[in-house]
Amino acid sequence: MSDHETHPSSCLTDLSGRRLSYLRISLTDRCNLRCDYCYHSVNESQIAERELSDDEVIRLVRVFSKMGFDKIRFTGGELLLRDRVVDLIRETAVTAGVSLIGITTNGLLLEKHLPGLIDAGLNRLNVSLDTLDREKFKRITGVDGLDRVTSVISRALETNVFPRVKINTLVMRGVNDDEIDKLADWGLSRRTDLRFIEFMPTRGSGWEESRFVSQDEMIERVRGPLDIDPVIEPNSGPALTFKQRGRPGRVSFISAVSRSFCNECNRLRVTSRGTVVGCLFSGKEIRIRELLDPRVDDETIIAVIKTLTRSQDFRRGIENRTRTWEGPSMRGIGG
């Protein structure tokens, strides 16, 4: 048995009985892109506040692993702007009970870091990519970087380390919805899981009804028949996933607006400043940075997290819909 299986504080559940096993840790709010739907959601005072130290991040990983969390994902901002990410991956990989270690990146800095990350124990990779058009990429991000991103995706696939490289594509009407069929074809032709994400009404995103494209409309725009993927992977999350006969890739849809997947949610998030977020749209969060002081033992931190997780409204109930009010800054909590 692994350490977390025998630990008395393992198997954290919330008030709705959902077992929590997936932790997302944002390493920084900084980003080297300027995407309108994300970049302006964080103000300068937030960026000026001290980020969690490496020791604090690893302490979080170890504490949560004792509660049965076996999947850790590091996000941002752009996490590769932070120093020593490879060391954080390596420390996470030797933490008892943690088996899935991922990052979400925009890919611009990934090429030089990829060998070190893989050597350290990275085994899951998500890359954000909203367009395959070079000029459109520049308009969306403010950077001429499409070739760098698509090139490093190909390189990551060639390593055969990752079951699939997941591609996160936020769909916005009038911006990139005209590329849905092209993006799907690109994803299905290689060992990727291209995940079309509904535009959510988060803080500072510029969300409005006219820019929203639903899951159903996206599916209609994908050329060729899609078959539900019967393979259920561990910690597969809320995506509705399809395959197309004879092709290596998959396409998925993450649809927090048009349908509710609250009943499937198994994750908690920690911001780069040390705040635990239980739900993207609950409106409740708690700062635990001070508890990461070396003088505070793990059991005290675990007790606080357990109490928090089972408090009213920290995590929305399984019947709730996520469209009822504006959610948090996605850049601030790492998506």
Side-chain angles (χ1 to χ4, degrees), residues 130-289:
D130 294 334
T131 179
L132 293 172
D133 181 278
R134 182 178 177 183
E135 290 303 315
K136 191 181 294 184
F137 187 98
K138 288 167 63 175
R139 289 198 300 273
I140 292 172
T141 68
V143 175
D144 184 6
L146 176 63
D147 291 345
R148 269 186 285 169
V149 177
T150 55
S151 174
V152 79
I153 289 170
S154 296
R155 184 175 175 187
L157 289 169
E158 290 168 0
T159 68
N160 290 318
V161 168
F162 310 105
R164 294 180 186 276
V165 174
K166 293 185 176 180
I167 311 300
N168 295 341
T169 301
L170 180 67
V171 178
M172 296 163 286
R173 193 179 305 281
V175 177
N176 63 344
D177 64 306
D178 60 328
E179 288 188 79
I180 290 172
D181 58 345
K182 180 180 179 181
L183 283 157
D185 184 67
W186 182 86
L188 288 163
S189 68
R190 43 188 50 79
R191 205 180 71 256
T192 62
D193 184 355
L194 196 140
R195 310 192 313 164
F196 292 111
I197 302 170
E198 286 184 348
F199 191 14
M200 292 186 289
T202 54
R203 186 184 314 140
S205 67
W207 189 94
E208 55 186 51
E209 189 82 35
S210 62
R211 301 180 73 190
F212 173 71
V213 183
S214 71
Q215 169 188 288
D216 290 346
E217 182 178 345
M218 287 188 251
I219 290 174
E220 287 179 4
R221 294 206 198 180
V222 176
R223 228 185 274 122
L226 294 175
D227 302 312
I228 290 285
D229 189 344
V231 178
I232 305 299
E233 297 179 349
N235 289 285
S236 58
L240 178 63
T241 300
F242 296 87
K243 299 180 74 173
Q244 203 169 72
R245 191 179 302 275
R247 309 192 75 184
R250 304 191 306 201
V251 291
S252 298
F253 301 87
I254 299 178
S255 311
V257 178
S258 66
R259 73 182 185 96
S260 172
F261 45 70
C262 294
N263 61 315
E264 305 161 27
C265 181
N266 65 344
R267 66 194 65 187
L268 292 180
R269 296 168 171 84
V270 179
T271 72
S272 63
R273 317 298 168 178
T275 298
V276 179
V277 179
C279 172
L280 287 178
F281 294 88
S282 72
K284 289 188 69 174
E285 54 189 43
I286 188 169
R287 184 181 175 94
I288 63 164
R289 167 189 267 167

Side-chain angles (χ1 to χ4, degrees), residues 33-43 46 140 170 172 199-208 211 280-281 325-333:
L33 299 184
R34 297 294 185 272
C35 307
D36 283 343
Y37 61 79
C38 179
Y39 187 78
H40 300 292
S41 64
V42 173
N43 61 45
Q46 288 173 287
I140 292 172
L170 180 67
M172 296 163 286
F199 191 14
M200 292 186 289
T202 54
R203 186 184 314 140
S205 67
W207 189 94
E208 55 186 51
R211 301 180 73 190
L280 287 178
F281 294 88
W325 62 80
E326 184 182 78
S329 153
M330 296 302 281
R331 179 178 160 204
I333 66 168

Side-chain angles (χ1 to χ4, degrees), residues 4-60:
H4 72 54
E5 288 175 320
T6 59
H7 195 281
S9 302
S10 64
C11 299
L12 184 67
T13 58
D14 63 16
L15 281 178
S16 297
R18 293 166 290 192
R19 182 184 171 189
L20 308 178
S21 60
Y22 174 15
L23 181 67
R24 298 174 64 102
I25 303 175
S26 177
L27 296 180
T28 183
D29 292 346
R30 292 173 291 145
C31 190
N32 50 355
L33 299 184
R34 297 294 185 272
C35 307
D36 283 343
Y37 61 79
C38 179
Y39 187 78
H40 300 292
S41 64
V42 173
N43 61 45
E44 292 304 315
S45 63
Q46 288 173 287
I47 294 174
E49 186 183 357
R50 181 179 72 83
E51 295 171 343
L52 291 173
S53 68
D54 291 351
D55 287 343
E56 289 169 330
V57 170
I58 293 304
R59 180 87 186 279
L60 277 171

Side-chain angles (χ1 to χ4, degrees), residues 58-121:
I58 293 304
R59 180 87 186 279
L60 277 171
V61 169
R62 291 173 178 163
V63 165
F64 276 92
S65 75
K66 290 181 177 181
M67 292 185 285
F69 282 68
D70 60 1
K71 179 176 181 179
I72 307 294
R73 176 171 297 279
F74 295 109
T75 69
E78 174 46 52
L79 82 161
L80 294 177
L81 289 173
R82 176 162 170 154
D83 295 334
R84 302 187 66 231
V85 174
V86 169
D87 294 331
L88 291 176
I89 297 292
R90 184 172 289 109
E91 289 291 323
T92 300
V94 298
T95 300
V98 176
S99 58
L100 303 179
I101 305 168
I103 63 170
T104 297
T105 173
N106 60 40
L108 289 180
L109 303 175
L110 183 58
E111 184 173 4
K112 71 174 183 177
H113 293 290
L114 186 61
L117 291 166
I118 291 172
D119 182 68

